[in-house]
Amino acid sequence: MVILIAGASHTGKTLLAQRMLEKYSYPYLSIDHLKMGLIRSGNTSLTPADDDALTAYLWPIVREMVKTAIENDQNLIVEGCYIPSDWRQDFDERYLQSIRFVCLAMSDAYIDAHFDEIRAHGSDIEKRLDDSGCTLDSLKKDNRAYIEAFTRCGEHVTLIDSDYEEAIRALLDEC
């Protein structure tokens, strides 16, 4: 089983992956780690700010890693914001039956009510060196973009609207 976890910044993708690792003992790959390894090693001239270009660059690599894990009958959790909304088109049914997809997003109302808490938990699993770009408006815009893009492609989006921990627990129980 391969579990793909997509979603907007600060929605808890890494937290969910960590909890899945602890519950199911599935290893996980952070696409951010792959991104920074490629950037720091000089294998790309892209920068961390090149989001759309990074998705186009990273997804073909991640996609083939997912296929390899499935072909080898290995479990893997892949989390990150560089999973395109039309990801399914890259897999035939043989692969799709072994992929569980999760997309996390927060409603505007949730962000309004919990903004300080969201920022405070931004480094629970990984330490963010610079979180100054996380503003109320940027979070809302990012979450809306994920909701619209993934919904348009027919994906279910787990919308966090009231109880964050309950939403995460429910996802852990579904796998």
Side-chain angles (χ1 to χ4, degrees):
M1 167 73 63
V2 173
I3 303 169
L4 298 178
I5 305 172
S9 179
H10 289 78
T11 55
K13 297 178 298 294
T14 306
L15 174 70
L16 179 58
Q18 180 67 37
R19 288 191 183 169
M20 286 181 169
L21 175 145
E22 292 166 2
K23 182 172 182 175
Y24 301 109
S25 299
Y26 293 3
Y28 79 84
L29 167 71
S30 166
I31 302 173
D32 279 342
H33 292 172
L34 177 61
K35 167 189 78 176
M36 292 310 298
L38 291 164
I39 290 171
R40 288 180 172 176
S41 67
N43 281 292
T44 181
S45 60
L46 297 171
T47 72
D50 297 323
D51 281 339
D52 290 339
L54 281 165
T55 299
Y57 181 70
L58 294 168
W59 178 244
I61 298 165
V62 172
R63 176 191 68 218
E64 297 309 315
M65 293 171 74
V66 167
K67 288 178 180 178
T68 300
I70 292 169
E71 290 163 357
N72 291 341
D73 199 25
Q74 293 175 295
N75 298 315
L76 180 64
I77 301 162
V78 178
E79 65 87 10
C81 61
Y82 303 105
I83 298 171
S85 57
D86 62 352
W87 68 271
R88 283 184 193 272
Q89 74 180 9
D90 292 329
F91 299 96
D92 62 33
E93 188 55 38
R94 173 176 61 128
Y95 295 107
L96 289 172
Q97 65 188 2
S98 297
I99 298 173
R100 164 92 166 85
F101 177 74
V102 175
C103 182
L104 297 174
M106 296 174 178
S107 69
D108 282 358
Y110 185 86
I111 295 168
D112 283 334
H114 299 277
F115 179 69
D116 290 336
E117 187 178 345
I118 293 166
R119 290 275 322 259
H121 287 284
S123 291
D124 281 358
I125 301 297
E126 59 185 0
K127 303 299 178 226
R128 296 176 187 265
L129 298 178
D130 179 13
D131 208 16
S132 61
C134 179
T135 65
L136 186 68
D137 289 337
S138 69
L139 271 181
K140 287 180 179 181
K141 181 180 177 185
D142 194 25
N143 278 270
R144 281 187 218 122
Y146 271 83
I147 293 166
E148 291 171 15
F150 282 89
T151 301
R152 185 173 46 251
C153 287
E155 297 295 343
H156 171 75
V157 175
T158 299
L159 186 62
I160 300 162
D161 193 39
S162 58
D163 187 334
Y164 181 84
E165 284 298 324
E166 179 55 36
I168 297 301
R169 272 192 299 277
L171 288 169
L172 285 169
D173 291 342
E174 288 176 15
C175 289

